[in-house]
Every structure is written in C-alpha cells, then in structure tokens.
Amino acid sequence: GGEIIDGMMKVVGIKAKTKDGKITHSQYVRVNLVDCEHPFFGRVWHGVHILDGDSPLLNSSAKEKIREFGGSWPEDWLVEPEKIRRKLDFQSLVITVSGISNISACTVHAYKRYKFQDIIIGFDFAPLVYENEELSKLEVDVGLTHDVREQHKGSGEDLKNVHTPLEASLEARKSLGQQGCSTIFHESTAGSFNS
C-alpha cells in the first residue's frame, strides 16, 4: 500500500534578476520534465530535465554553445564540473508532487525546495530498487535515498571540497564509517537533472 495514483511532478526554477548588483525581482520558470506523470507511483520516481539549448536552467551563452554543437555539450565542459556550475542560471528549484492516495482516496501533495548550492555536479543517484530474493519481489532500500555515485561520462565535483550544506552530512558519514556520500537533490519523489 501507500502508492500514488495519477501522480504529477512539477518543477519551477527561481531566478533572481539583478541590476547594478542588486536584486530587482524574481523570475519563475517552468522546468519541463521528460516524464512529469506517473500512473501508479509506488517505488522511486526520478524527475529528469534535459539541460539542452532550450533549458531555462542554463544561461543564454551556454544554450547558444549547445546549439552550435548540434545539441551536445562541448567535451571540455564535462572535464571540469566548475564549468558546468557557471553555466547554470537559477537560485533555487521547487519540486511538487501530487496525486491520489490509493489508501485513503484523498489528494496528497509533497513539496521540496533546493537551493543552488545544494546541487552536486557530475553525480547520479545510487540505485534504490533491489530484488528481495526471499520474498521474490522488488523493494526500495530507503537507506540509499541520499547516496550518489559519479557519472560515467565526465568528472564530478570533489565532494571533499564542495562547500554546501551537505558537508556536515558527509563528515557525519565519515565519522560513522559509512560508505557513500549524501546529496540533497534526491528523495523518493525528486530526482536528477541529466545533461
């Protein structure tokens, strides 16, 4: 039990517009997801947005460069995560998930806001779903919810030198002798933004 029927995920990017170094107003942009609907959400749902030449999360020079490269990212961006970070153009992301509970038949909602400094460049989420061989069914290891692994292509930020609110979490894991690392851009309902 506990699944969501007719799930809908939405993402809004918030940009602070400045003039003469001062914030004048905020701009809210809809972030298109590859698949924003889920008919029967019961395990893990990654919200995927492609950072391409039309993405509202990239600055205009990055979008133009991607268009020049036929829709692909220049290879040198993938080598230095800081280059990718400089191409991003938002202050925070707001993710909402809604649907109908299959237990109560009531509408349910979830909300999470992520700040720019919470994003870790060059990492994917660790797989959460595994087969429980004793029960012959798929299950979710919620203990891995905040774990990440470096992407196959390019290189990721050095997590030892990332100065985000996650540092305390990383240090806590080290002191406990746990493997893996933490990321805030993942819960069972919020997901990755792939290039």
Side-chain angles (χ1 to χ4, degrees):
E3 293 87 6
I4 296 175
I5 299 167
D6 290 331
M8 175 72 72
M9 183 185 302
K10 294 183 179 181
V11 179
V12 173
I14 302 172
K15 300 179 176 194
K17 296 301 174 183
T18 61
K19 184 175 183 177
D20 301 326
K22 295 183 180 183
I23 296 175
T24 58
H25 66 282
S26 294
Q27 179 184 13
Y28 300 89
V29 295
R30 174 73 58 205
V31 178
N32 294 322
L33 299 176
V34 171
D35 194 3
C36 65
E37 297 181 35
H38 199 302
F40 194 75
F41 169 50
R43 291 190 185 103
V44 176
W45 184 3
H46 290 269
V48 177
H49 169 73
I50 306 298
L51 293 170
D52 60 13
D54 296 319
S55 173
L57 301 180
L58 293 173
N59 62 37
S60 56
S61 64
K63 291 190 273 191
E64 181 61 35
K65 193 73 156 176
I66 291 169
R67 286 186 202 109
E68 287 175 19
F69 276 75
S72 298
W73 285 31
E75 288 293 323
D76 64 314
W77 291 6
L78 303 176
V79 178
E80 295 180 51
E82 188 53 40
K83 283 188 176 184
I84 295 173
R85 187 169 288 282
R86 288 192 305 263
K87 310 294 184 210
L88 299 175
D89 182 23
F90 63 90
Q91 276 62 50
S92 57
L93 298 171
V94 175
I95 292 101
T96 58
V97 175
S98 61
I100 300 169
S101 167
N102 73 333
I103 293 176
S104 66
C106 293
T107 302
V108 293
H109 305 273
Y111 162 94
K112 182 68 179 174
R113 184 175 184 162
Y114 298 100
K115 295 180 181 175
F116 180 79
Q117 61 267 27
D118 295 330
I119 306 301
I120 300 175
I121 306 296
F123 286 82
D124 284 326
F125 301 112
L128 302 178
V129 179
Y130 69 96
E131 182 180 2
N132 183 328
E133 293 178 5
E134 291 177 16
L135 301 175
S136 295
K137 69 177 195 173
L138 294 177
E139 294 189 353
V140 176
D141 185 346
V142 294
L144 297 175
T145 298
H146 298 287
D147 284 10
V148 294
R149 61 182 180 185
E150 195 164 3
Q151 292 176 344
H152 296 291
K153 188 170 184 177
S155 60
E157 291 178 305
D158 180 358
L159 295 182
K160 294 178 185 171
N161 294 322
V162 173
H163 300 290
T164 71
L166 300 175
E167 275 186 303
S169 176
L170 292 170
E171 290 303 316
R173 281 181 163 256
K174 279 186 197 173
S175 68
L176 295 172
Q178 295 179 350
Q179 296 298 313
C181 51
S182 188
T183 180
I184 62 80
F185 202 71
H186 180 70
E187 291 184 0
S188 59
T189 58
S192 58
F193 284 74
N194 298 330
S195 60

